[in-house]
Amino acid sequence: MIKSLEVVGYRGFDRLEMSELGRINLLVGKNNSGKTSVLEALSLLSSGYDPSALLRIVTRRGEMVLQEVQQGQPLRQDIDISHLFHQHELRPDARFAIDARPENGSPNQKITYSIIEVQKEQVHPHYIAALGMAGNALVGPNMGLKLEIPEPHLSSSSIVPLAKRLLRPEDLQILNNIHQRQKTVGNCQFVSTDSLSSSELTAAWDDVSLTDQEQLVSEALRYLEPKIERIAATTAKVLYFYPQSGSRGGFKVRLRGVSEPVPIGSLGDGMWRMLALAIALIRAKDGLLLVDEIDTGLHYSVMADLWTLISRAAKEFNVQVFSTTHSYDCVHSLASICQATTDSENQVTIQRLEAGKPCAVAFSADEIVSAARNYIEVR
């Protein structure tokens, strides 16, 4: 479990330290204070340079650039990586690093991306071979993205040359080759404000269906609709002209007193949100669950039940939870699990971020309870 985290040079952070982290950590702060950026940093750390994690982050933020490779050909989507660096600047010596210090004296987990000037001879041969680059393709000063991967994963750092400030699809394949040679730091599940897509959830359901954990999902859904008895994935075909964006299909539930199964989308977005949270929590076993705006789509009256479920399952599955919120009700309801347990293995913290401040303000479980009783604002 991560006990402290340092983020340097990532997005809005010149430097940020978070300490006294627990099993459940709620990040609060004003807009643009960096709460989502902390979740992204943790997902990058856990990915161990997996390019799919990088791609998901920039896609979520809309940080893609359409490029015309050849006239009359489809446009290519490249990644504008400048926005990952502090102040959106790409210059030689720009870098961002994410460093986590686990408990019990385990080795630190760290990844570093940096920008350097490169010549062709500095670029790894497998990159040139893969892209068919030859001759003077990289003559003169060029910027490269350097992945500083510590031993024992790789014998040296890897450098990917940049086209201006962009990563191309072929670059992601090279990054994937690097990632395959490195041991991934840990399991990580990221639930954004849009929850998870229908395809993501139905694929994840295979890990849950017909296991003991299926009951946990049903329990979570019953917080919103007590009549739910069972849930199942469906394989119904969708007509090609039906829009898929934001689809809530793929699952049906059986309701007590209703003869036919009901599509889960009929029960509202809150039900879909709860389904995504429950499945992601189970799949985060021995890793991290990251949730942006955890209360999205959920009424304040169910938040205490949700925190209780998360607290119990996080301990059972050895999951460390990081979530964000702007909601006072979400913060207030967190006090319920602080009061209900004295187990140090299930420590709860609130971490308040303030733009421009190098250290998050940590609130312990006792302080969370006191703030809730006395209506003290900690956001």
Side-chain angles (χ1 to χ4, degrees), residues 5-9 12-19 33 38 86 101 351-362:
L5 178 73
E6 182 180 36
V7 181
V8 177
F13 298 126
D14 181 27
R15 178 172 165 272
L16 174 72
E17 283 193 9
M18 297 175 62
S19 59
S33 60
V38 170
H86 187 49
R101 292 174 282 280
Q351 303 280 333
R352 187 175 69 205
L353 279 62
E354 298 181 24
K357 297 291 183 67
C359 296
V361 179

Side-chain angles (χ1 to χ4, degrees), residues 79-246:
I79 296 174
D80 185 347
I81 66 168
S82 65
H83 306 297
L84 299 174
F85 292 82
H86 187 49
Q87 298 182 337
H88 309 271
E89 282 190 295
L90 279 192
R91 64 184 188 282
D93 79 8
R95 65 188 287 272
F96 71 79
I98 303 151
D99 190 356
R101 292 174 282 280
E103 61 183 351
N104 301 328
S106 301
N108 285 15
Q109 302 170 357
K110 184 175 182 179
I111 63 169
T112 302
Y113 286 87
S114 58
I115 302 299
I116 63 171
E117 287 188 357
V118 297
Q119 302 292 330
K120 179 187 170 186
E121 58 269 18
Q122 293 177 274
V123 180
H124 198 286
H126 77 248
Y127 187 92
I128 296 176
L131 298 187
M133 300 170 65
N136 297 323
L138 288 174
V139 167
N142 292 271
M143 287 195 298
L145 181 66
K146 183 179 181 183
L147 287 63
E148 300 177 18
I149 306 174
E151 295 282 6
H153 304 307
L154 289 177
S155 59
S156 63
S157 300
S158 295
I159 299 171
V160 177
L162 299 175
K164 297 182 181 178
R165 60 184 191 181
L166 305 176
L167 278 179
R168 299 152 294 191
E170 54 265 32
D171 299 326
L172 294 179
Q173 182 57 51
I174 301 302
L175 287 174
N176 190 59
N177 293 341
I178 294 170
H179 171 255
Q180 294 302 321
R181 295 160 57 198
Q182 182 204 4
K183 181 182 178 182
T184 301
V185 174
N187 183 24
C188 179
Q189 298 291 312
F190 194 123
V191 182
S192 70
T193 53
D194 294 328
S195 297
L196 299 175
S197 70
S198 177
S199 59
E200 288 174 317
L201 274 185
T202 50
W205 182 249
D206 288 341
D207 296 335
V208 178
S209 179
L210 302 180
T211 70
D212 293 341
Q213 285 73 49
E214 186 176 334
Q215 294 303 314
L216 184 144
V217 177
S218 298
E219 178 186 348
L221 299 184
R222 281 194 286 270
Y223 291 145
L224 304 184
E225 175 48 80
K227 293 182 180 179
I228 289 179
E229 295 181 337
R230 292 221 33 208
I231 178 173
T234 64
T235 57
K237 294 182 179 179
V238 180
L239 295 179
Y240 73 92
F241 52 82
Y242 282 7
Q244 293 302 298
S245 178

